[in-house]
Amino acid sequence: DLSNTSYMIEALRAVDAGENDPAIQRALQFISRCQNLESEHNDTPFAGLVEDGGFYYEIPTEKIDPSTSPERFTPNGGLRSYGSMTYSGLKSMVYAGLTPTDPRVKAANEWISNHYSVEENPGMGSAGLYYYYHTFGASLRAANLDEVIDADGKKHDWRADLIEELASEQQPDGSWTNKNNRWFEDDKNLATSFALLALSYCKPNATQPDDDAK
C-alpha cells in the first residue's frame, strides 16, 4: 500500500540510500500506479477514470461494485483521490528523485492546490486527520515549498496555517485526539505523536531525511 511504501522510501533515504537505489526506483513504479494520472507510468485500468492527479491507498486486486463502496470509488469505477495519500505520493516522488517539472509531480501539486486544507483530510473529512497533518507537513517540507497557492489564487504559508490549526485543537492536558475513531486516532498517544511530528516539519530549514544522502 502507498502508506507503508512511503515510509519505506523515507527510511531508506534516512540511512543514506540514494534516490537511484533499486528498491526506491521499484517502489516508484508502484507509487506511479497509485496516481490518478494516465501516463506511461500507470498501466492500471484506473489511470484515466478520475484523472485529477491525486493518489489513492492501494490498487484493487478484484472488481468491486462502485455502488457498494461510494467512499472509495467514483460512479464510473475510478478510485477517489484523497489528501493524506496524495501528500504521501508527492513526498515519495521527491525522495525518488523526481523534479517539479515531471508530469507526475506537477499533477500532484495541482491536486494539492485545488484541495488545500488544514481543517480536514481532503476527500476523507475528519478520518485520519492527524496522519494527514503528518504527511502534509513532511511532504511540503520535502518538496521545499514554503507556500501553497490554492484554487482561488490565495497564497498560504502552510507552516503558519498548520501551527495555528494544531494549536486550536490541542487539549488542556497538552494532548491531541480525533473525535473520529477511524484508524485509532481517538487514541491520544497516536494523535499526539502525529501532531508532534507535523509540528517538527514546521521548523524552517529543518534537516530533511535526504540531506545527508546527497
Side-chain angles (χ1 to χ4, degrees):
D1 64 74
L2 183 54
S3 178
N4 283 295
T5 300
S6 71
Y7 279 132
M8 181 271 289
I9 290 179
E10 189 167 2
L12 287 174
R13 296 308 308 267
V15 295
D16 295 337
E19 59 192 30
N20 292 318
D21 182 275
I24 291 177
Q25 289 304 308
R26 286 196 297 271
L28 178 60
Q29 295 178 30
F30 170 75
I31 292 161
S32 298
R33 298 172 79 232
C34 289
Q35 186 174 23
N36 275 315
L37 182 68
E38 192 167 23
S39 74
E40 61 184 300
H41 306 287
N42 190 346
D43 59 356
T44 73
F46 307 99
L49 295 178
V50 176
E51 195 73 5
D52 63 3
F55 285 78
Y56 41 83
Y57 177 70
E58 63 183 351
I59 304 165
T61 56
E62 58 185 56
K63 188 174 181 180
I64 302 174
D65 181 356
S67 65
T68 65
S69 186
E71 178 189 70
R72 189 178 187 197
F73 287 88
T74 60
N76 68 346
L79 288 161
R80 295 187 187 279
S81 303
Y82 61 101
S84 50
M85 286 303 98
T86 299
Y87 283 99
S88 292
L90 174 62
K91 173 171 63 74
S92 299
M93 292 190 298
V94 170
Y95 286 155
L98 300 192
T99 67
T101 60
D102 188 285
R104 289 166 287 182
V105 176
K106 291 174 69 175
N109 281 329
E110 183 175 351
W111 191 96
I112 287 169
S113 292
N114 289 334
H115 300 85
Y116 179 84
S117 177
V118 293
E119 297 175 351
E120 65 174 0
N121 179 1
M124 295 297 289
S126 61
L129 183 60
Y130 286 88
Y131 177 93
Y132 168 73
Y133 289 147
H134 158 50
T135 57
F136 171 95
S139 175
L140 294 175
R141 189 194 66 171
N144 199 29
L145 294 174
D146 292 323
E147 62 183 21
V148 175
I149 301 175
D150 68 20
D152 296 323
K154 181 180 178 181
K155 293 182 179 180
H156 293 268
D157 178 341
W158 64 266
R159 291 182 174 91
D161 289 350
L162 183 56
I163 290 170
E164 181 179 1
E165 184 64 25
L166 285 171
S168 72
E169 296 175 4
Q170 191 172 20
Q171 303 298 304
D173 65 357
S175 70
W176 282 267
T177 186
N178 192 342
K179 293 179 181 179
N180 187 325
N181 65 3
R182 190 169 185 182
W183 299 310
F184 308 105
E185 284 199 357
D186 58 334
D187 183 333
K188 289 185 176 182
N189 297 293
L190 180 61
T192 301
S193 297
F194 280 144
L196 292 174
L197 281 169
L199 289 171
S200 75
Y201 305 133
C202 295
K203 181 181 178 182
N205 302 317
T207 300
Q208 297 184 28
D210 62 337
D211 282 348
D212 296 330
K214 293 182 179 179

